[in-house]
Amino acid sequence: MTTAAAGGADEAPPADKQPSGGTSVPAPRKAGPAPSGSPGARSGRSVTGTRTVIAAVFLLPALVLLGALVVYPIVYSVYRSFFDQAGTGFAGIDNYKALFTDDTIRTAVKNNAIWVVFAPTVATALGLIFAVLTERIRWGTAFKLIVFMPMAISMLAAGIIFRLVYDQAPERGVANAVWVGVHDTFAESSGFPKAHPLPVHPLKAAGGGAFVTKTPVRAGEPVQLPLVGVLPAKMPGDAKPARAPGPGNDGEITGTAWLDFTKGGGGSPNVIDAKELGLKGIKVEAVKDGKVVASATAGADGTFTLPASADGAELRLPASNFKEPYNGVEWLGPSLVTPGIIGSYVWMWAGFAMVLIAAGLAGLPRELLEAARVDGANEWQVFRRITVPMLAPVLAVVLVTLMINVLKVFDLVFIIAPGSSQDDANVLALQLYRSSFGTDADLGIGSAIAVLLLLLVIPVMLFNIRRIRKEGRR
């Protein structure tokens, strides 16, 4: 018994050493709390107190900055939104009513809705496609680097780039240069868009951009069709000096269409001078009683020949010879300016979506994908029923991030949209700037717009917080 006691209260004798005769051994006692004056108690109290003080010291600067830079501006913006333009009279909810009654602000709200729906969706979809398609190819890393590169430039630089891309002139704007090139490949372009006759010429306007001879033509009388106003750059490269036509056979009508202009001066109107060039390719029609009875195309020297059926007809130069050249699409016009700017945003942020989705794709269990393929699923079924559902958390992160981002978009719209269509491309962040600054600033309206933007962001943030918490509980 002495030995057992010496072993301490927490030690019980082994089973084979238990005393016989039914004698019970007392159960070991649990250790109680240390005395209040013991060093352990002093240490625990000190540690607890120190943690509280340190936490307060470290959090205080952050709380001060948070209050000064976030809480105070929010509270003051809400307060200021209930006052008039001068800030001296209480306006109630009049500023908030203006958000939905003023046409300019309503356009901004509508455009923001378009941005929130389409920009994040398109950028995420492209990021998903790029990430999946480049996963197995050898040069996938290089491709991802190229797609991600636009993220390295600022919104200001991207706006300047796309302002040039969308320039209306095909010689400057890349978008219209490509569009016009494709159009002119499949559609015949006008040869002489600015050509016209002088009052002394034997031609007159026929309406719709066409010109006709002032008198009917007769066989054996060469017809002269002089024009002016053709730029040297628009003249055919293989045009030859104009010449008078030869006599027609069997009542044929012959004539010459030429540029009645001598470079450097000189020359006489209605006379083919030595340095004047023929209008190669210009179309000539013979018209009787409003119907075209014959047509011809001028050669390199401007001469043409019509059959005898053209005798007594008026010769017409149709409007197709003079229509303005196709200049492409007005990308920054009222109808296309918002989609155009969204395109520049997608160009910048599709790389961001691709990188995040590619990281999530790299973490997918390959054995699950291979098992689906072994079971007979094709690549589209694997992508739709396995890859996309397993990437849902990553896709949600990308979508929510881009939604919050597009609600704040300002730089691209301000720089890309020209002054003539800036109202049509207006968004809430741009309207906030326009309402809050300038000679006609209304800080009441500006503050109301800021509060509206905050209210639009809060549901997206709450969704993100719930998603993060749900992921944390897994």
Side-chain angles (χ1 to χ4, degrees):
M1 296 298 293
T2 304
T3 304
D10 292 338
E11 294 183 7
D16 56 351
K17 300 293 184 179
Q18 291 287 346
S20 60
T23 306
S24 62
V25 178
R29 293 179 301 170
K30 295 182 179 179
S36 59
S38 65
R42 289 196 302 271
S43 176
R45 186 169 59 249
S46 175
V47 169
T48 304
T50 303
R51 285 178 179 174
T52 304
V53 172
I54 291 177
V57 169
F58 276 94
L59 285 176
L60 185 60
L63 292 175
V64 171
L65 289 175
L66 185 67
L69 301 179
V70 178
V71 177
Y72 173 74
I74 291 176
V75 173
Y76 184 76
S77 295
V78 174
Y79 168 79
R80 183 65 178 83
S81 67
F82 292 104
F83 286 82
D84 59 10
Q85 182 175 5
T88 55
F90 184 73
I93 61 172
D94 291 345
N95 292 327
Y96 292 96
K97 288 181 179 178
L99 299 183
F100 302 99
T101 55
D102 184 88
D103 290 338
T104 302
I105 302 178
R106 287 171 60 187
T107 301
V109 173
K110 181 192 72 175
N111 287 338
N112 258 106
I114 295 174
W115 273 86
V116 169
V117 171
F118 289 101
T121 304
V122 175
T124 304
L126 285 178
L128 176 62
I129 293 172
F130 290 155
V132 172
L133 293 182
T134 59
E135 183 187 18
R136 300 181 183 180
I137 58 178
R138 184 178 303 174
W139 44 269
T141 302
F143 178 82
K144 291 175 183 177
L145 178 63
I146 294 173
V147 175
F148 188 75
M149 279 180 62
M151 284 293 298
I153 65 176
S154 65
M155 287 279 198
L156 173 64
I160 295 173
I161 291 171
F162 274 86
R163 180 65 182 267
L164 295 174
V165 168
Y166 292 136
D167 196 290
Q168 182 66 34
E171 60 270 17
R172 292 193 301 270
V174 176
N176 263 342
V178 174
W179 194 268
V180 170
V182 173
H183 175 274
D184 290 347
T185 301
F186 299 98
E188 184 179 357
S189 59
S190 170
F192 311 100
K194 299 290 185 180
H196 61 277
L198 292 174
V200 296
H201 286 164
L203 291 167
K204 63 180 180 179
F211 301 101
V212 298
T213 54
K214 294 177 180 178
T215 58
V217 297
R218 299 295 177 187
E221 298 178 2
V223 182
Q224 294 182 336
L225 302 178
L227 294 172
V228 295
V230 182
L231 297 175
K234 294 295 184 181
M235 285 295 294
D238 55 350
K240 297 179 180 179
R243 67 177 181 85
N249 300 322
D250 300 328
E252 291 178 335
I253 303 296
T254 60
T256 304
W258 82 98
L259 179 63
D260 194 13
F261 171 77
T262 301
K263 188 181 296 185
S268 302
N270 296 330
V271 176
I272 300 175
D273 296 304
K275 295 182 179 181
E276 296 174 350
L277 300 176
L279 297 176
K280 179 186 176 182
I282 197 167
K283 187 176 181 180
V284 182
E285 296 175 342
V287 181
K288 287 183 178 179
D289 299 326
K291 296 181 180 181
V292 177
V293 296
S295 64
T297 301
D301 56 3
T303 59
F304 60 89
T305 302
L306 292 167
S309 59
D311 187 19
E314 292 180 335
L315 296 193
R316 180 175 66 186
L317 300 178
S320 59
N321 292 314
F322 313 111
K323 65 181 180 181
E324 291 292 329
Y326 181 71
N327 286 324
V329 177
E330 192 178 1
W331 297 104
L332 299 181
S335 59
L336 291 178
V337 62
T338 295
I341 300 174
I342 290 177
S344 66
Y345 178 89
V346 171
W347 175 76
M348 288 192 67
W349 287 87
F352 166 81
M354 178 195 65
V355 169
L356 290 187
I357 295 171
L361 195 61
L364 294 184
R366 299 298 164 181
E367 60 274 10
L368 186 59
L369 303 178
E370 293 301 327
R373 295 187 181 99
V374 170
D375 289 341
N378 56 37
E379 291 300 323
W380 169 247
Q381 291 172 330
V382 171
F383 172 76
R384 183 168 60 92
R385 298 187 178 183
I386 298 178
T387 303
V388 173
M390 294 186 70
L391 285 176
V394 179
L395 297 177
V397 170
V398 175
L399 272 175
V400 170
T401 303
L402 294 182
M403 282 181 181
I404 295 175
N405 187 268
V406 298
L407 286 172
K408 303 180 295 181
V409 68
F410 165 80
D411 318 59
L412 289 177
V413 181
F414 184 73
I415 296 169
I416 296 177
S420 58
S421 59
Q422 197 167 87
D423 285 344
D424 299 286
N426 199 14
V427 290
L428 285 173
L430 177 59
Q431 185 60 39
L432 171 61
Y433 167 79
R434 295 168 69 179
S435 297
S436 302
F437 300 95
T439 56
D440 195 27
D442 189 338
L443 291 180
I445 296 289
S447 299
I449 295 174
V451 174
L452 177 62
L453 277 173
L454 176 64
L455 294 176
L456 292 175
V457 170
I458 286 176
V460 183
M461 293 179 62
L462 291 177
F463 170 80
N464 206 22
I465 292 172
R466 290 183 60 187
R467 185 196 57 77
I468 292 173
R469 288 179 177 176
K470 185 182 296 184
E471 290 293 323
R473 288 195 295 266
R474 291 183 179 179

